Amino acid sequence: MRRWLQPPRRLRPTRAGWVFCGLSFGVGFAALNTGNNLLYLVLALMLAFLVLSGVMSEAALRGIRVRRRIPRDLFAGSSTGVGLEISNHQPRVPAFAIVVEDRVIEAEQPERAAGRAFALRIDAGATELRFYQFSPTRRGVVKFLRFQVYTRFPFGLFSKSLSIDAPAESLVFPAVEPVRIPPNFGAARGGGESVAGPHGTGANAVGLREFRDGDSIRRIHWRSSLRHRQLFVSEVESENEAEIEVRLKTRGVRAGEPFEQRVSWAASEIVALLDAQNRVSLSTDDSRFPADSGTRHRARLLSFLALVEPETGHPWAAP
């Protein structure tokens, strides 16, 4: 942690800084040639401005710490808010005009800025939460590298920055497009009394069980839930249970935009079917995931699609 605060800082003059330095050089040149005491006084004031700018900008950056809050679900082509906790660990000196730039690298693409966040004032010992919008360009693993922290405080003559290493990785799911599922396509009906499958309706409720992620709110048994102060849902049996399989061809195809589009279609169908309370399975030429429902199953399928490649298998795939 201590090494993050050590020099060197990066110092770059702004446009106003270049103009100010040019004026300072001109005033100094005139003072040397004329010997005018007033010009020497003006030159001394301008040089004092430069020194004061360096001291105050260093004070603004010295105690800065940054933590990243990455959302759980990142989708290619979709903008998602990433949180930055910007802290000032100095005991007495506030920090002003802090800009934090998050640097990332995706797949084999060059390093780029994921986004920026700005904090006008951070009091001594305080933490400010800021957000920026991050739009991954493709599915797969995205690596967050470091923060570039900038300030132009106090006069805007120079931009001083420091680099804070903050490595992290996250998984970007394939791009998802809206898919319309017919109302009677494998969805649970009124109050959990029956279940509609692809070919007809099922039987009545046969019991109660605890509520799990992915269960329909319509199936909650409110009387039992209020009595036990815990959510219970009606357990049903179905003659034709709605189990829908999504297939993705991975053998005999080449990597490229057509394959990426098929992966995106598969992810879109999975999300839409699971949101409609169906049990969904995923099958490729090398792997198969049995039918299931819920948020964990959704994350498992999308994680597989985030990394799937033509003619490759994955060790976590179900037999």
Side-chain angles (χ1 to χ4, degrees), residues 185-235:
F185 190 73
R189 291 184 178 175
E193 296 177 357
S194 63
V195 175
H199 307 294
T201 58
N204 294 329
V206 296
L208 299 175
R209 62 171 173 81
E210 294 183 4
F211 181 86
R212 295 196 298 260
D213 290 341
D215 288 333
S216 173
I217 298 179
R218 295 181 178 180
R219 294 176 56 188
I220 295 178
H221 196 278
W222 293 107
R223 182 177 299 178
S224 298
S225 298
L226 291 174
R227 183 167 61 250
H228 296 88
R229 296 184 179 180
Q230 184 177 357
L231 290 179
F232 286 88
V233 297
S234 300
E235 185 73 66

Side-chain angles (χ1 to χ4, degrees), residues 28-95:
F29 184 79
L32 290 175
N33 280 275
T34 62
N36 191 310
N37 290 333
L38 181 60
L39 290 178
Y40 279 114
L41 179 61
V42 173
L43 177 61
L45 291 175
M46 298 179 76
L47 295 179
F49 262 82
L50 294 178
V51 174
L52 184 62
S53 177
V55 171
M56 296 185 70
S57 61
E58 177 63 26
L61 292 179
R62 182 175 296 274
I64 295 298
R65 306 286 193 281
V66 185
R67 292 184 60 188
R68 185 188 296 110
R69 290 185 181 180
I70 305 175
R72 182 178 60 182
D73 294 343
L74 295 175
F75 291 90
S78 298
S79 181
T80 308
V82 176
L84 297 179
E85 294 181 359
I86 310 174
S87 303
N88 180 12
H89 284 209
Q90 296 188 87
R92 290 181 294 274
V93 180

Side-chain angles (χ1 to χ4, degrees), residues 1-23:
M1 186 70 70
R2 178 70 60 179
R3 63 187 177 88
W4 291 349
L5 307 179
Q6 299 302 320
R9 304 285 195 250
R10 291 186 178 182
L11 189 66
R12 181 178 59 85
T14 63
R15 180 177 298 180
W18 284 113
V19 172
F20 188 86
C21 290
L23 291 176

Side-chain angles (χ1 to χ4, degrees), residues 183-189 193-204 236-244 278:
N184 60 345
F185 190 73
R189 291 184 178 175
E193 296 177 357
S194 63
V195 175
H199 307 294
T201 58
N204 294 329
V236 299
E237 60 180 4
S238 175
E239 296 173 356
N240 298 289
E241 191 176 14
E243 292 188 0
I244 304 169
N278 295 292

Side-chain angles (χ1 to χ4, degrees), residues 93-203:
V93 180
F96 295 92
I98 300 298
V99 178
V100 180
E101 180 182 273
D102 205 354
R103 306 291 298 181
V104 300
I105 185 169
E106 299 179 73
E108 298 178 355
Q109 299 180 357
E111 178 184 327
R112 69 179 182 92
R116 292 183 177 182
F118 175 75
L120 179 61
R121 176 190 172 101
I122 307 176
D123 291 327
T127 298
E128 296 288 337
L129 179 61
R130 296 291 186 270
F131 291 88
Y132 70 86
Q133 294 299 313
F134 175 48
S135 298
T137 58
R138 58 174 300 170
R139 64 184 178 92
V141 177
V142 57
K143 296 181 179 180
F144 294 85
L145 302 178
R146 62 183 179 277
F147 300 112
Q148 290 293 131
V149 184
Y150 302 87
T151 185
R152 293 188 177 185
F153 181 76
F155 308 121
L157 301 179
F158 298 93
S159 175
K160 181 176 285 190
S161 66
L162 66 89
S163 180
I164 302 178
D165 293 332
E169 289 187 359
S170 186
L171 196 59
V172 178
F173 298 149
V176 172
E177 301 174 359
V179 175
R180 183 179 178 275
I181 304 297
N184 60 345
F185 190 73
R189 291 184 178 175
E193 296 177 357
S194 63
V195 175
H199 307 294
T201 58

